[in-house]
Amino acid sequence: MKFAKIPMATINRLSIYMRTLQELLEEDVEVISSERLAKQCGVNPAQIRKDLAYFGEFGVRGVGYHVADLVNQIKDILGLSRTWNLAMVGLGNIGSSLIRHGNFVKHGYIFTAAFDVDPQKVGKKLPNGLIVNHVDELEDVVRERDVHIGVIATPAGAAQSVANQLILAGINGILNFAPVQIQVPDCCHVENVDFTIKLDCIAYHLSTGV
């Protein structure tokens, strides 16, 4: 199986399938048809079957998918059968809100380090128990706490420098909330989250009626 050939859109949909299946588990649903799962995920049944077919054979013809089994199988595919340690860099409004968000822990993402440059924030204890470190300590702390993914929520002007520090510390995965495209080597995967781009898409559809 050549994972590099799998479209990112498929990976994104797998996350949606998994979250929907987890909700079904909480409702004590044991088996679900591809038609019902597709309806709840906002796609068609053929798309679900195609997405899953990249990774093997799933479900039972004429029966559907065993919910618990499919959750575990998708977790294995996405690398979520383990926890991932995160470091937050930048504790402004976005960074502070994200690090308090309980949904990260629910899905296996644990903030184990937090950094800022503001003297009024460095040394403070966060609600989750973390002590904010100065960004100058980033490389040492990231290594000590076995951080796997860096989350950047700094102003645009600081984002590239922070990304460079994270990479030097051995981080190869970055979630970037700064409103700027950062440059990284091929070994590092970056996901950029710019809310204004999403708003641009909404504005386009509202303006054109498409």
Side-chain angles (χ1 to χ4, degrees):
M1 191 188 317
K2 296 182 178 179
F3 289 97
K5 300 294 185 181
I6 296 168
M8 281 306 300
T10 292
I11 303 303
N12 291 337
R13 285 191 294 269
L14 287 180
S15 295
I16 294 171
Y17 304 157
M18 185 185 69
R19 282 157 176 72
T20 301
L21 290 163
Q22 287 173 324
E23 291 173 2
L24 291 167
L25 271 183
E26 293 175 0
E27 298 169 6
D28 295 323
V29 176
E30 296 182 359
V31 178
I32 188 169
S33 66
S34 58
E35 288 77 15
R36 181 183 171 190
L37 180 58
K39 183 177 181 180
Q40 293 196 215
C41 294
V43 298
N44 62 64
Q47 184 67 69
I48 288 182
R49 291 191 287 269
K50 180 180 178 181
D51 288 338
L52 293 175
Y54 280 111
F55 306 95
E57 296 183 4
F58 302 86
V60 179
R61 186 180 296 276
V63 176
Y65 302 105
H66 291 281
V67 176
D69 290 344
L70 190 54
V71 167
N72 290 330
Q73 289 163 333
I74 294 177
K75 279 187 173 183
D76 286 341
I77 291 168
L78 295 176
L80 300 178
S81 297
R82 51 164 290 180
T83 57
W84 294 88
N85 295 338
L86 276 57
M88 173 63 71
V89 188
L91 290 166
N93 291 333
I94 291 177
S96 296
S97 296
L98 290 171
I99 209 166
R100 290 196 303 265
H101 204 300
N103 211 34
F104 285 96
V105 174
K106 178 181 177 181
H107 292 290
Y109 299 102
I110 313 296
F111 281 103
T112 59
F115 303 91
D116 207 286
V117 294
D118 186 343
Q120 294 186 349
K121 296 175 182 175
V122 173
K124 298 293 185 182
K125 187 174 183 178
L126 299 174
N128 65 357
L130 286 179
I131 302 297
V132 179
N133 291 92
H134 194 281
V135 74
D136 288 345
E137 302 173 273
L138 187 148
E139 291 181 42
D140 289 337
V141 174
V142 160
R143 291 193 176 98
E144 288 170 4
R145 300 184 188 174
D146 193 27
V147 172
H148 309 115
I149 299 171
V151 182
I152 298 177
T154 65
Q160 185 63 58
S161 175
V162 167
N164 294 344
Q165 286 180 271
L166 288 168
I167 293 164
L168 285 173
I171 298 298
N172 288 324
I174 296 175
L175 182 61
N176 176 38
F177 285 89
V180 63
Q181 300 294 308
I182 55 177
Q183 304 300 312
V184 299
D186 291 341
C187 63
C188 184
H189 181 79
V190 176
E191 289 289 333
N192 294 294
V193 182
D194 187 334
F195 299 118
T196 61
I197 291 176
K198 300 299 183 184
L199 289 169
D200 290 347
C201 293
I202 293 172
Y204 167 76
H205 289 292
L206 291 176
S207 299
T208 61
V210 175

